[in-house]
Amino acid sequence: MEERRNNFGRIAGKIRTKKLKARVDLTAMVSVSFLLIVFFMLTSYLSRPQAVDLKLPDADRIVCGIPNPGCLNSDRVMTLLLDDHDRVVSYLGNFENPLEAPKEFNSATESLTKELTDRNQYVQNTLYGDPKKGLIVLVKPSKDSNYGNLVNVLDGLGEAEIKYHTIANITPEEMQLLAKN
């Protein structure tokens, strides 16, 4: 009997080729991921909310009619009442006893910014002689005013370099003043 080995279909003497491992080229993937990272960083930076900086005075220092060390001097305080159609009415000092007659402005024009700049310079240079003691502006929007009107007034305060301003609630007496003008 003849002995044969089972070579399972292989031909004797033929050298087998070495199989190479499959290699994945990740160069394109790195480029795409880098572009995605840059894209998301840029869009997150551009989608940050735009905020308006407000500098608020102390709550316990309110405008008083009589001299009091805990109160603000009424000659430093200007109140801006915002109404519809970009109308702004301003008065100086207390509502009950204003230092000047109320004036009317349009918030979209330069006249309000000029008035704020002139009044701030007057308070800093003439009344106090101290650049730190400037005008304090109370912005009081009515229910008829719109957001654009408020933004125009806040932009005017920034252009006039008013350091101290706040947004407050309008009183019924001030609403009557707006209705009269």
Side-chain angles (χ1 to χ4, degrees):
M1 210 157 157
E2 184 176 329
E3 259 186 59
R4 277 195 181 186
R5 290 178 128 188
N6 191 358
N7 59 5
F8 300 104
R10 287 190 224 143
I11 300 172
K14 189 171 186 182
I15 300 173
R16 244 173 98 189
T17 60
K18 187 175 181 183
K19 289 189 178 180
L20 298 175
K21 294 183 180 179
R23 187 169 167 250
V24 179
D25 187 18
L26 295 178
T27 307
M29 185 63 116
V30 170
S31 299
V32 169
S33 62
F34 177 72
L35 288 173
L36 285 174
I37 289 171
V38 170
F39 173 75
F40 285 118
M41 286 175 61
L42 182 65
T43 56
S44 67
Y45 177 76
L46 293 177
S47 66
R48 287 184 183 165
Q50 300 290 329
V52 176
D53 293 332
L54 295 177
K55 296 180 176 125
L56 304 175
D58 295 337
D60 58 342
R61 297 187 62 168
I62 57 172
V63 179
C64 300
I66 56 174
N68 187 344
C71 297
L72 295 172
N73 296 335
S74 62
D75 54 355
R76 285 182 66 192
V77 178
M78 177 184 254
T79 303
L80 301 176
L81 305 174
L82 309 181
D83 203 11
D84 58 347
H85 305 298
D86 293 336
R87 192 169 73 110
V88 178
V89 176
S90 71
Y91 64 89
L92 290 168
N94 295 332
F95 179 76
E96 296 83 19
N97 190 15
L99 300 175
E100 290 180 2
K103 296 179 184 177
E104 188 171 329
F105 299 99
N106 188 339
S107 69
T109 61
E110 296 294 321
S111 59
L112 178 63
T113 304
K114 184 176 179 342
E115 174 70 21
L116 289 168
T117 304
D118 293 344
R119 178 56 65 177
N120 192 30
Q121 292 297 323
Y122 174 74
V123 168
Q124 286 178 342
N125 298 334
T126 308
L127 290 181
Y128 291 96
D130 185 8
K132 293 182 181 177
K133 290 191 176 183
L135 187 65
I136 299 169
V137 179
L138 303 174
V139 180
K140 296 185 176 185
S142 69
K143 292 183 180 180
D144 297 330
S145 67
N146 57 20
Y147 185 71
N149 192 6
L150 178 64
V151 170
N152 288 340
V153 169
L154 291 176
D155 287 343
L157 291 172
E159 290 175 17
E161 297 177 1
I162 304 294
K163 294 181 183 176
Y164 304 104
H165 58 277
T166 186
I167 300 173
N169 293 329
I170 193 166
T171 63
E173 294 85 15
E174 291 168 334
M175 286 296 293
Q176 290 175 357
L177 175 68
L178 281 176
K180 279 196 296 188
N181 286 347

